[in-house]
Amino acid sequence: MSQDRVSFRAPKGTRDVVPPESWRLQALYDLARSIFAGSGYAPVETPAFEHTEVFARGVGETSEVVTKQMYTFPDKAGRSLTLRPESTAPVVRAVLEHGLHRGALPVKLYYAGPQFRQERPQKGRYRQFLQVGIEAIGSARPTVDAEVVEIGHRFLRAAGVEPRLKLNSIGHPADECRLGYGRALVEYLRAHEADLAEEDRGRIDTNPLRTFDSKEPETRKVMEGAPVITEHLCPECKAHFDAVQDLLSRVGVPFTIDPRIVRGLDYYTRTAFEFVAGGLGSQDAVGGGGRYDGLARSLGGDDVPGIGFALGVDRILLAQSDDGGAPRPVEVYVVAVGDEAASPAFELVTRLRSAGIGADLDHLGRGMKGQMKDADRSGAHFAAILGSDEIAAGEVTLKDLEAGAQERVPIAEIERRVRP
Ligand code: HAM
């Protein structure tokens, strides 16, 4: 083996998506477009990197994503930039930059693309991973919460994943509920401080809610007996949460209330939810989201409420029970018999493609038998065979590869004959 070739291995924690899996990936993106756009969400594209403070202030200085997982680097001018670890803060930043929140509300957007987190890689957890997500910005009403959750649920089912929905409300930081609950939680954590994992003790003061997220067994044990936020919600937050539940029940979206869903990002208020799926091992969250009524404000913008979710595309691909998104076969495979047919075959393929008919041909100089085999492999419905006879007559031999029949047809008529 040569010593000086580059490593063929993609960087740790990243992966290639090659055929046939890439067909399923493409099918998921198509599905996202049709389901999200069909509910009034418009596509949005934001940069793969942002000024670091978008995440520091948006996602939160105490979240694990910001403290431990960001790919942050200075650019040549000394600005601190960060590869996006998530897209909600960037989307809200873009809405504020373009003043979209001053137009028709709510602003409903969807996105698809890579996110970057320096985590320990394992099954279903990567350092570059793909998300599709939606954000509805500018309405505080519970109907939009229910809309967002229902769309996520419907998308996952259509993608062949049977999701379980865990729903919670974590109240509002400005409301009595979060303050009162915060006090009760801190009191409980103080009383059990000695039993908490070392790294979780430090969170009691900075971000006590985060202890629900801890993966440390000692902390998890303590949290089993911890007070839960749903028992401390203020009347407004409780009414909002009740309304969301009622709406979801009306449209037949099943859920369980899980007061331990606090989510790993600091911007959440009120509704928080996660979709989990079987067969994924420990990384079983296929998606999550919630309300972030304070996010625009924490970026320095107007007070604009919002809610959304992001789904982990890599995990959906792992969890899919069927192989929806089979390769899309070409319609016609043009077979060139003899050297003199090579150029006319190329012309014919180009003509078919220009007419919007999927077509392919041989590029290796294979004989007729080899080309017919390749035509079968391509999944094409028809083989259009061009030899010197056909060329002289201005015709092609059109073979229906599914029915087996073949006939000569004038070359001018081929589009009409093969159009699906
Ligand atoms: P998140 O829970 O951090 O939320 O990520 C959403 C989903 O992305 C997860 O449920 C998981 O499926 C997938 N995911 C996260 N990290 C990884 C990883 N390292 N490897 C593979 N998949 C991963 C957010 O990102 C929020 N922005 C969601 C949101 C939108 N909230 C409101 N709007």
Side-chain angles (χ1 to χ4, degrees):
M1 207 191 348
S2 147
Q3 295 270 304
D4 58 358
R5 68 165 170 75
V6 299
S7 169
F8 290 160
R9 277 240 169 108
K12 184 172 174 181
T14 70
R15 70 191 200 100
D16 303 305
V17 185
V18 299
E21 191 191 15
S22 53
W23 287 106
R24 288 197 290 131
L25 172 62
Q26 211 51 59
L28 277 184
Y29 283 157
D30 291 347
L31 186 66
R33 181 190 152 83
S34 93
I35 290 188
F36 301 158
S39 306
Y41 290 73
V44 67
E45 192 75 36
T46 63
F49 56 85
E50 294 275 347
H51 292 125
T52 301
E53 61 262 27
V54 169
F55 304 112
R57 289 174 56 177
V59 175
E61 303 270 16
T62 61
S63 68
E64 197 134 294
V65 167
V66 170
T67 53
K68 296 196 181 148
Q69 300 173 352
M70 296 206 300
Y71 284 98
T72 297
F73 55 95
D75 71 2
K76 286 194 173 132
R79 282 177 289 256
S80 179
L81 300 173
T82 294
L83 292 182
R84 62 179 180 207
E86 63 102 52
S87 282
T88 307
V91 167
V92 171
R93 194 267 311 138
V95 166
L96 295 171
E97 174 175 341
H98 299 278
L100 302 183
H101 60 298
R102 297 203 194 92
L105 292 179
V107 182
K108 302 210 292 186
L109 300 168
Y110 78 87
Y111 52 86
Q115 320 290 327
F116 308 86
R117 296 182 195 176
Q118 194 153 358
E119 295 191 80
R120 195 171 49 76
Q122 62 181 91
K123 181 183 170 192
R125 195 208 269 156
Y126 309 97
R127 292 181 168 176
Q128 173 170 339
F129 58 98
L130 302 168
Q131 284 185 341
V132 295
I134 69 175
E135 311 292 347
I137 295 161
S139 168
R141 292 173 74 91
T143 47
V144 74
D145 303 46
E147 170 177 298
V148 164
V149 173
E150 190 280 330
I151 291 170
H153 187 256
R154 185 150 40 90
F155 176 89
L156 287 167
R157 295 195 57 187
V161 175
E162 215 31 75
R164 276 180 298 120
L165 168 60
K166 296 180 179 179
L167 189 67
N168 191 22
S169 172
I170 58 171
H172 202 282
D175 288 344
E176 235 337 83
C177 49
R178 185 83 72 83
L179 295 175
Y181 174 65
R183 277 194 293 274
L185 181 60
V186 168
E187 212 167 278
Y188 176 85
L189 292 173
R190 284 252 174 280
H192 294 81
E193 192 164 354
D195 300 327
L196 290 175
E198 177 83 49
E199 66 167 76
D200 291 317
R201 284 181 211 152
R203 298 215 169 98
I204 299 181
D205 292 317
T206 53
N207 198 341
L209 266 187
R210 196 76 329 117
T211 41
F212 279 110
D213 262 353
S214 173
K215 299 191 176 65
E216 306 298 326
E218 311 94 285
T219 303
R220 289 180 89 109
K221 194 135 199 292
V222 172
M223 297 320 285
E224 280 168 20
V228 292
I229 179 99
T230 33
E231 285 160 15
H232 286 78
L233 294 177
C234 69
E236 291 77 20
C237 285
K238 181 162 187 327
H240 185 95
F241 192 36
D242 288 345
V244 174
Q245 291 175 55
D246 176 57
L247 290 162
L248 289 174
S249 301
R250 279 169 184 266
V251 293
V253 175
F255 58 85
T256 53
I257 306 274
D258 186 343
R260 286 174 182 80
I261 296 291
V262 295
R263 314 269 307 125
L265 314 165
D266 289 352
Y267 48 60
Y268 290 112
T269 53
R270 292 192 164 169
T271 309
F273 58 94
E274 247 164 48
F275 295 108
V276 297
L280 288 173
S282 64
Q283 302 304 307
D284 63 352
V286 283
R291 202 164 250 296
Y292 44 84
D293 293 347
L295 174 55
R297 221 11 204 288
S298 64
L299 293 177
D302 297 344
D303 204 358
V304 199
I307 178 163
F309 65 68
L311 308 176
V313 171
D314 308 84
R315 291 184 192 175
I316 296 172
L317 291 171
L318 279 171
Q320 271 180 336
S321 51
D322 63 44
D323 68 347
R328 188 175 306 158
V330 295
E331 199 61 24
V332 184
Y333 191 100
V334 177
V335 174
V337 186
D339 283 347
E340 68 278 22
S343 300
F346 180 71
E347 284 175 53
L348 179 56
V349 154
T350 307
R351 210 180 89 194
L352 290 167
R353 289 172 179 169
S354 304
I357 296 164
D360 208 355
L361 83 172
D362 167 74
H363 286 295
L364 291 178
R366 275 176 278 232
M368 163 118 181
K369 223 169 125 196
Q371 290 184 56
M372 289 306 288
K373 245 174 133 175
D374 207 33
D376 278 333
R377 189 200 47 77
S378 76
H381 187 171
F382 295 99
I385 303 159
L386 267 182
S388 45
D389 270 11
E390 284 90 348
I391 293 169
E395 293 178 338
V396 292
T397 297
L398 195 61
K399 179 166 186 189
D400 186 324
L401 295 170
E402 285 163 19
Q406 70 177 52
E407 58 179 328
R408 293 270 286 250
V409 302
I411 202 155
E413 274 180 32
I414 185 159
E415 285 92 337
R416 200 171 54 74
R417 300 296 292 268
V418 302
R419 207 179 276 285

